[in-house]
Amino acid sequence: MWDFVVDRREQLLINAWNHAYLVILAVLFATVIAVVLAVVVTRLPKVEPVANAVSAAGLTIPSFALIGLLLPVTGLGDVTALVAVTFYAVLPILRNAIVGLQGVEPGLVESARGMGMSEPMTLLRIKLPLAWPVILSGIRVSLQMSMGVAAIAAYVLGPGLGAWIFQGLTQVGGKNAVNYALSATIGIVLLALILDLALLLVGRLTTSKGVRV
Amino acid sequence: MTTMESTDKQQHTVSGAEITLDGVSKIYRGQQAPAVDNISLTVPAGEIVMFVGPSGCGKTTTLKMINRLIEPTSGTISIGGENIRAKKVDELRRTIGYVIQGGSLFPHMSVAKNISIVPKLLGWNTSRVKDRVDELLDLVGLDAAKYRDRYPRELSGGQQQRVGVARGLAADPPVILMDEPFGAVDPITRQRLQDELLSIQRELHKTIVCVTHDIDEAIKLGDRVLILQEGAHVAQYDTPEVVLSSPANDFAQDFVGAGSSLKRLSLARIADLELKTPTTAKVGDSTAQVRSRAEANGDGSVIVLDDRNRPLGWPWLRQLTGEKIVQPSGDLINLDSRATLNDALDTMLVSGHGGAVVTGDRDAYLGVIDFKTVTDFIEEMQREAETETKAAPAAGSDEHPASRISIAPTDEELDGGREG
Ligand SMILES: Nc1ncnc2c1ncn2[C@@H]1O[C@H](COP(=O)(O)OP(=O)(O)OP(=O)(O)O)[C@@H](O)[C@H]1O
Ligand SMILES: [Mg+2]
């Protein structure tokens, strides 16, 4: 297998890079979407149970099914992969963002308003920074999950390491079938570890010393 | 009782503004009975008014209507003659300090950041904000260099509360609203914080509205006390002296409660008594010289002051070792001159010197109050009360001799001070 990897290292690196790129982009979009949704949801108490149900149920939709649903809309290719990965990535972040925002002590929000901070200012400077550690752990879960979803998304000819896994699967019994599948899988695991470390670092840099655990 | 009148209420320039409530009511959505029912009230500029009353009587609701955290259902509120609805709500709030229980500091911001929020909202420049933060930390008795960069969780409860007060004062607002500000700290710390508030107020003369459920706190801190009953109906609104001596109705009487004659002890301030002036020393003074000065005065201990005249410790002579006086270890509990005799007795009981160090503005040393001075004063009060009783028979009697000061005369002995 070593020779296999060495022979194809360039392709492997390109795939890994694409895979990481897809996941990072999807998680970034997902974070923005989830936080915006969470802000809306926490302001409308009636919507909140709905949002929680959706984010729980959403995770049970098989990714192949979702991709199947997306295909007629976005066609084969990168966009479909990105949309699918983003969809799943939103769910854990949304759940944590709701919990995090609700966990902000009402007294603090009242203090902020009482001091003359406007509502958006209170959100940006009090609520989100305080909810951030919880949101961040949602992002970590989301990132790990997205690594796997992105592999499946390669089915729609999206970028990434998933392509090799499928190649391996379609060639079962063939000379390099195991090599393809295994090297891509190991690549995904390694990538997941690296990105998780990077996220930890980002977390440390973006979390106030006063609320760090 | 003229002896109880504080002597240190000098005329200062008042920086506070008058607050008036005119027929203000609040009915919460979905409720029948109003939480606040048609209250009219004037809080004079530069005074501390304490709202006190049983739980759920509408204190917080009334308070929060002043900074529009709650909008009244009807009635008008003005500050300094201007209707509070005339300004944008956020602008209004930036001119009103707001301090709530525990300080409510933002945990993700340093002490300095917490304090500088409103000044920054008002567009002060960086250096002015920085100076202001240091000034305020100093005012509330915290060493700026040591504390400004700390996070709230690195402070004790009392320190957090101090920062909370500093934050309320940050932009020098004419009006400050406080909701049970000292509810979350232990009794000794609470007493210190109360003393500090009085000391700050002596300097600043803000208009302060402060909610409490503790009648003792209300009597100690208030220039006026507002006793509220269910629905924020005013049971009595008067000076602590009058509230104690002639409750307006049964409700006020019950609320002021048992031992009210004794509570009048807490009307007497340390400032009304004569202070002793034992030997003092500055950090860095020669120990030998200090020792001989103390011996000449007949003192067994000396009070060590820092370069700004703030007391640091009260060591016995035998504890003075080394060539120069150093900063004594341990924490000195001192009393503000506005502290009450109740507080003085409490502090003395833990001091071990049979006395307590008294401080004035910015914790500057004033002298020492000793046990005998206080007990003499109590005896004198008692005699005075007796003569008053003979002149005008008491309106009622307190059946509860229980009190938190074991050495003080019992209620029966003191009772009759109430003017009939
Ligand atoms: N947001 C609200 N919605 C509905 N009712 C409320 C609300 N806030 C307070 N109340 C009711 O209004 C009344 C007055 O409440 P308020 O908080 O002003 O009391 P309080 O005097 O501050 O009491 P405490 O000493 O317990 O703090 C209470 O009966 C309370 O149940
Ligand atoms: Mg209250």
Side-chain angles (χ1 to χ4, degrees):
Chain A
M1 184 179 143
W2 184 245
D3 293 337
F4 172 88
V5 170
V6 173
D7 286 348
R8 293 172 182 74
R9 62 175 182 279
E10 248 168 64
Q11 188 56 43
L12 185 66
L13 281 177
I14 290 173
N15 281 350
W17 169 252
N18 284 334
H19 198 97
Y21 186 72
L22 171 65
V23 167
I24 291 172
L25 205 60
V27 170
L28 271 179
F29 282 144
T31 304
V32 174
I33 294 168
V35 168
V36 170
L37 281 177
V39 167
V40 173
V41 164
T42 47
R43 297 185 47 140
L44 307 168
K46 279 184 199 141
V47 192
E48 195 219 308
V50 181
N52 278 331
V54 168
S55 67
L59 285 173
T60 66
I61 302 177
S63 26
F64 272 112
L66 180 72
I67 290 167
L69 288 174
L70 281 173
L71 277 179
V73 188
T74 49
L76 282 174
D78 296 3
V79 178
T80 309
L82 183 63
V83 172
V85 178
T86 305
F87 174 84
Y88 288 101
V90 165
L91 304 173
I93 307 180
L94 177 61
R95 207 158 7 159
N96 276 38
I98 292 175
V99 171
L101 285 174
Q102 283 173 337
V104 176
E105 208 195 300
L108 294 178
V109 176
E110 192 195 272
S111 270
R113 298 307 314 271
M115 292 163 77
M117 280 197 200
S118 63
E119 194 141 359
M121 218 185 267
T122 307
L123 177 69
L124 287 178
R125 290 178 47 188
I126 309 296
K127 287 192 202 169
L128 284 179
L130 287 174
W132 185 238
V134 184
I135 298 176
L136 207 61
S137 64
I139 296 177
R140 274 182 78 186
V141 172
S142 171
L143 188 79
Q144 298 301 311
M145 207 184 69
S146 300
M147 295 304 290
V149 178
I152 295 170
Y155 179 71
V156 292
L157 304 182
L161 292 165
W164 278 20
I165 298 181
F166 282 104
Q167 207 163 333
L169 288 177
T170 47
Q171 298 174 6
V172 167
K175 180 165 125 284
N176 277 327
V178 174
N179 280 341
Y180 272 119
L182 200 59
S183 59
T185 307
I186 293 174
I188 288 174
V189 170
L190 284 178
L191 210 53
L193 285 175
I194 294 169
L195 286 184
D196 193 44
L197 277 178
L199 194 58
L200 268 181
L201 190 72
V202 172
R204 274 199 90 74
L205 294 176
T206 53
T207 307
S208 154
K209 230 177 84 193
V211 290
R212 217 175 272 162
V213 276
Chain B
M1 279 210 175
T2 48
T3 48
M4 285 182 181
E5 209 72 83
S6 302
T7 51
D8 59 350
K9 278 187 198 162
Q10 303 135 357
Q11 286 307 304
H12 283 256
T13 37
V14 170
S15 67
E18 184 183 84
I19 306 171
T20 53
L21 282 74
D22 189 13
V24 175
S25 296
K26 174 71 190 179
I27 303 173
Y28 285 108
R29 191 174 312 184
Q31 286 187 359
Q32 298 287 311
V36 172
D37 185 14
N38 195 23
I39 188 174
S40 296
L41 183 76
T42 300
V43 177
E47 290 199 0
I48 301 185
V49 168
M50 303 296 293
F51 287 8
V52 62
S55 188
C57 69
K59 304 179 293 288
T60 299
T61 305
T62 309
L63 187 84
K64 284 189 191 165
M65 286 194 284
I66 299 174
N67 66 1
R68 292 182 63 190
L69 280 174
I70 294 174
E71 293 289 357
T73 313
S74 60
T76 52
I77 300 175
S78 350
I79 295 178
E82 190 190 8
N83 190 325
I84 56 169
R85 303 190 62 90
K87 267 192 223 167
K88 281 204 194 117
V89 69
D90 287 330
E91 276 163 31
L92 171 82
R93 289 174 183 158
R94 290 169 198 174
T95 64
I96 301 176
Y98 186 50
V99 181
I100 63 180
Q101 185 168 46
S104 193
L105 303 180
F106 302 126
H108 61 300
M109 296 183 183
S110 67
V111 165
K113 282 243 169 66
N114 265 287
I115 297 177
S116 50
I117 290 172
V118 180
K120 278 189 187 152
L121 288 175
L122 292 172
W124 293 18
N125 67 38
T126 322
S127 72
R128 183 169 169 215
V129 172
K130 196 175 167 298
D131 292 347
R132 182 67 179 155
V133 167
D134 287 4
E135 184 187 343
L136 283 161
L137 284 174
D138 188 59
L139 185 70
V140 297
L142 291 174
D143 181 357
K146 192 164 158 195
Y147 291 103
R148 72 165 87 80
D149 293 323
R150 290 215 190 165
Y151 284 91
R153 69 170 175 195
E154 298 164 327
L155 304 177
S156 72
Q159 289 167 340
Q160 291 185 19
Q161 193 60 71
R162 287 189 174 89
V163 176
V165 171
R167 189 173 71 176
L169 291 167
D172 208 20
V175 170
I176 296 164
L177 308 178
M178 302 183 147
D179 196 345
E180 308 209 15
F182 309 136
V185 293
D186 63 274
I188 293 267
T189 309
R190 183 177 319 146
Q191 180 204 311
R192 294 222 49 180
L193 290 167
Q194 291 168 345
D195 290 354
E196 280 165 18
L197 182 67
L198 287 170
S199 157
I200 290 169
Q201 173 69 351
R202 196 164 48 210
E203 246 180 87
L204 303 181
H205 285 259
K206 303 287 180 192
T207 305
I208 299 179
V209 179
C210 180
V211 167
T212 177
H213 55 252
D214 177 1
I215 183 74
D216 292 313
E217 181 167 86
I219 285 165
K220 175 176 176 184
L221 296 179
D223 294 305
R224 278 156 208 266
V225 176
L226 175 75
I227 303 180
L228 292 174
Q229 56 197 86
E230 193 70 22
H233 290 284
V234 176
Q236 188 166 17
Y237 181 39
D238 219 316
T239 60
E241 287 81 0
V242 175
V243 165
L244 284 182
S245 60
S246 31
N249 54 23
D250 286 351
F251 182 86
Q253 162 106 51
D254 283 350
F255 198 77
V256 169
S260 65
S261 328
L262 200 65
K263 284 202 179 93
R264 300 173 80 179
L265 259 188
S266 54
L267 289 174
R269 310 283 174 174
I270 290 171
D272 303 337
L273 274 63
E274 207 172 311
L275 299 181
K276 296 271 184 311
T277 49
T279 312
T280 60
K282 296 252 165 176
V283 169
D285 283 357
S286 141
T287 305
Q289 281 178 15
V290 170
R291 197 182 283 275
S292 61
R293 262 195 288 135
E295 275 156 8
N297 290 346
D299 289 333
S301 53
V302 295
I303 290 167
V304 179
L305 307 176
D306 70 3
D307 52 358
R308 287 166 61 185
N309 220 26
R310 294 177 299 197
L312 295 171
W314 194 355
W316 299 98
L317 286 187
R318 64 181 147 74
Q319 288 172 307
L320 297 179
T321 49
E323 249 175 62
K324 301 237 182 272
I325 301 284
V326 293
Q327 166 142 10
S329 59
D331 202 19
L332 182 68
I333 304 172
N334 43 30
L335 282 168
D336 187 85
S337 64
R338 288 271 296 168
T340 66
L341 293 194
N342 263 346
D343 298 334
L345 289 167
D346 280 354
T347 305
M348 279 176 205
L349 289 177
V350 297
S351 109
H353 282 273
V357 176
V358 180
T359 54
D361 286 349
R362 306 228 166 190
D363 284 340
Y365 172 74
L366 293 179
V368 163
I369 183 164
D370 70 357
F371 204 65
K372 188 158 181 318
T373 316
V374 177
T375 46
D376 286 353
F377 187 84
I378 291 172
E379 270 172 32
E380 193 191 316
M381 270 179 56
Q382 193 184 340
R383 270 197 300 278
E384 219 174 285
E386 273 163 14
T387 23
E388 260 176 53
T389 322
K390 278 168 203 145
S397 72
D398 296 317
E399 294 88 25
H400 310 277
S403 91
R404 57 199 198 96
I405 309 162
S406 47
I407 54 89
T410 63
D411 252 32
E412 280 85 357
E413 286 174 283
L414 266 179
D415 194 48
R418 185 178 301 132
E419 283 113 44

